[in-house]
Structures are given as C-alpha cells and as structure tokens.
Amino acid sequence: MKLMINGIWRGDVEPTPELRAQQMIHAGRFRDRISADGASGFRAEPGRYHLYASPACPFSHRVLIVRALKQLEDIVGLSILHPHWDSPNGWGFADTALSTIDGAGNGFRRLHEAYRASAPDYTGKVTVPVLWDRRSCRIVNNESLEIAAMLNDAFDAIAGDRGPDLCPADLKSEMDDLNDGIARRLSVGVYAVAGATHQGAYAAAMDQLFGFLDELDGRLSDDRRFCLGERPTLADVLVYATLARFDAVYNPLFRASRRRLVDYPHLPRLLKRFHALPGVGATLRYDHILTHYYDGDWAVAARRGIVPELPMTNWLAPDRTTQTGERP
C-alpha cells in the first residue's frame, strides 16, 4: 500500500485496520471549490488553475472529458502523470511519450510532493485527479466528481465557448439519483469485483455490477440518445469513463466475465455517440490504460481461489449469424 503518513511518503505500508478505517480509497480530502464570483476563496480566472491528471485512471478521465467538452484547454492547464504508477514512488511526472513534466511550474517530480506542499501533515492516499491553484500553491480539490462539476460551470463567464451544460437544473434530481447508482454499482463496482477476497464476495459484487448494467441498458431501450434523454449530462461522462475500459480491462483482468460491453444491445451505441462529441475521443488513451492496468499491481492475481464466471456469451452459445448455409 502506497500512501503518506503525517507528510512522509511511504511506498510499502501494510494496510492496518486503522488505515482501512479511514477509508482511503478514492475519497478526496481537499474539497475547496472554484466559483465565478470568488466567494469560495478561489475565483475563476484564466491560467490560475492546473490539472494533474492521468488518462489511465477512470476517475481522472472524468475531468479530462469535461475539460474537453467545455473547451477549457486555454483556461485550465494540464500535466499528465505517467501511467506506470506501481512503483515505490507512486504517480510521477516525466518528459516521455506517455507523460509530461510538471507544467504548473512547481518542479514536482512525484505527485506526493503536491500533497505535501498543500498539507505538510497529510495522511492518506495520493490520487488523481488534482486541481491545483498556482496562486496559493496548493491543491484546491482532489475529488473527481466535484472537479468535474466545477469545470462544468465555474468558468462559463470567462470561457469563449461555454459548451454543453452537463448539470442542467431541470435534470438535477434525476441525474443525482443516477450518479449515485453509477458511483456505487458501476465505478466502484468493478473494483469490488476485482478486490473480492472470497467466492461469495465475488458473486455478490458481480450481481451488483451486472444488475446495474442490465438496468442501464434497459433505460436506453426507448432510443434516447443519452442516459437522461437527448442531452449529454455528467451521468454520461461517468458511464463513458468506466465502460470505455470494460472490454479491455475489467472483463478480462478484473474477472467481470459475465458479459462484455459489446454483448449489450444499447450500451455500445451510447458510448459511440458520446465518444463522437467534440473533444471526447481525444481523451481516451488506451496506451495509458493498458500500460497502467497490465503493467501494474492489478496484473498480479494476488487473490487466488476466485473462480471467474463463465461468460454468458461464449463459443458454446448459438451462432448469432445463423442461416448462412455453412456446415456445422
């Protein structure tokens, strides 16, 4: 386990009950907000804020998508962490084909340096994404959903093109309910499958994950264009960031083997439609994703004794192409 304890980086910590009790998985500790009027203490200004992000991580990918959809590339800076984070030093900056140096001007070589600079006594995991304030030289926020919501509207007054409103007021209640399900049953659900320590936990996690995917596919059966109707919302961002990784990573590597994304009638069309929105496709980096998952700690089958489910669609299933006249 890699984390900081009282401001000291540790790359070899045993996950004690005390650390587990702090629930340091993807919980952001820095929870300040950027606002258009500056009432929050962080006024929306061009060039002031910078993202430390990784296209490999689905939570980090969310903010890259919103940044692209809202056309904030010239407003909010970006530095890319190397996808190979499974090392004693964790997430790192470097001038390589898969990463950049720290473009915010701090000279950080490791992401944990940004956490220590923001809170010298910080204890917790060092995660992406990070929204950095260049003026106060500290982290504003490291909770992906909150950063995505900020990017959606905080800069509208200064951005040249506001882009789509991903959090429309008339859909807020329905979107919040759906986002809660996405968080619990999909975004975290795939990791619950991967992290199961015994067969019963694996079976329960599989039922929850694929129950949600079945419901989501059914929601799209009325030919709506996006999750909540004809307009893309933050719910589509969350779904896309997870499902774009499903057949490449979660199905084979995490043992989420019951179905592939392509086995659903409606979900692939949703992803293709969202992928085609301006700027979205460029945020999907399979070179980062595959390097991160297959050359990292998830590639080690540390939890023996978990037998994957047999896929519901396999070579024994009836041939969908049918009636070709070919001999059996």
Side-chain angles (χ1 to χ4, degrees):
M1 188 179 204
K2 299 182 284 289
L3 71 158
M4 296 187 78
I5 301 177
N6 295 323
I8 305 300
W9 173 254
R10 295 285 304 275
D12 57 351
V13 177
E14 288 296 322
T16 64
E18 291 78 15
L19 293 175
R20 290 187 187 279
Q22 295 183 45
Q23 297 180 345
M24 295 179 298
I25 302 299
H26 276 286
R29 170 177 154 178
F30 299 94
R31 309 296 285 270
D32 289 309
R33 293 179 175 271
I34 298 170
S35 59
D37 60 5
S40 64
F42 296 91
R43 182 186 296 275
E45 302 173 27
R48 176 173 173 176
Y49 301 99
H50 199 87
L51 279 171
Y52 294 142
S54 168
C57 169
F59 298 92
S60 189
H61 190 190
R62 297 170 173 180
V63 303
L64 297 178
I65 294 168
V66 178
R67 178 176 178 264
L69 283 171
K70 299 296 293 189
Q71 301 181 43
L72 294 174
E73 290 89 343
D74 295 331
I75 304 294
V76 178
L78 175 65
S79 296
I80 298 295
L81 282 303
H82 198 280
H84 188 195
W85 78 292
D86 187 23
S87 71
N89 290 313
W91 293 107
F93 301 94
D95 184 11
T96 75
L98 291 176
S99 58
T100 70
I101 61 171
D102 171 14
N106 299 300
F108 296 144
R109 298 185 63 187
R110 300 292 174 180
L111 186 60
H112 62 74
E113 297 174 56
Y115 279 72
R116 182 183 299 111
S118 303
D121 62 345
Y122 177 75
T123 294
K125 296 194 77 173
V126 172
T127 60
V128 287
V130 163
L131 181 60
W132 179 265
D133 178 16
R134 301 181 67 172
R135 178 171 299 173
S136 61
C137 295
R138 53 155 290 191
I139 296 172
V140 178
N141 198 294
N142 69 330
E143 174 55 51
S144 64
L145 195 58
E146 293 180 5
I147 297 174
M150 279 185 270
L151 296 183
N152 176 64
D153 58 22
F155 297 92
D156 280 357
I158 60 176
D161 188 334
R162 297 184 179 184
D165 180 8
L166 298 170
C167 303
D170 60 317
L171 294 176
K172 184 180 187 312
S173 178
E174 186 180 2
M175 187 182 75
D176 287 348
D177 287 345
L178 180 56
N179 286 354
D180 179 67
I182 293 169
R184 291 184 296 102
R185 301 171 65 191
L186 178 60
S187 302
V188 175
V190 292
Y191 289 93
V193 170
T197 57
H198 56 83
Q199 197 72 37
Y202 170 76
M206 286 284 281
D207 285 344
Q208 176 165 270
L209 172 61
F210 283 95
F212 180 80
L213 290 177
D214 293 346
E215 291 171 17
L216 185 61
D217 191 72
R219 171 186 286 268
L220 300 167
S221 63
D222 61 1
D223 293 328
R224 65 180 66 194
R225 290 179 53 79
F226 298 102
C227 288
L228 295 174
E230 297 305 300
R231 294 171 288 171
T233 68
L234 191 55
D236 298 286
V237 174
L238 308 187
V239 167
Y240 175 87
T242 297
L243 292 191
R245 291 157 168 75
F246 201 87
D247 288 1
V249 175
Y250 303 142
N251 176 278
L253 186 60
F254 282 21
R255 295 177 260 197
S257 52
R258 185 177 299 179
R259 295 188 190 89
R260 302 165 300 168
L261 176 68
V262 295
D263 296 324
Y264 283 93
H266 307 294
L267 289 173
R269 288 198 294 271
L270 170 68
L271 258 65
K272 288 180 181 179
R273 188 174 295 122
F274 189 82
H275 183 84
L277 294 176
V280 173
T283 70
L284 182 59
R285 293 287 304 271
Y286 279 116
D287 51 350
H288 280 253
I289 292 168
L290 297 178
T291 298
H292 175 73
Y293 285 103
Y294 285 90
D295 194 18
D297 53 2
W298 286 112
V300 180
R303 289 165 296 279
R304 296 183 181 273
I306 304 295
V307 180
E309 281 192 7
L310 181 69
M312 293 185 71
T313 49
N314 60 77
W315 65 274
L316 289 171
D319 187 354
R320 293 185 184 182
T321 58
T322 72
Q323 275 81 85
T324 61
E326 296 179 2
R327 295 176 61 185

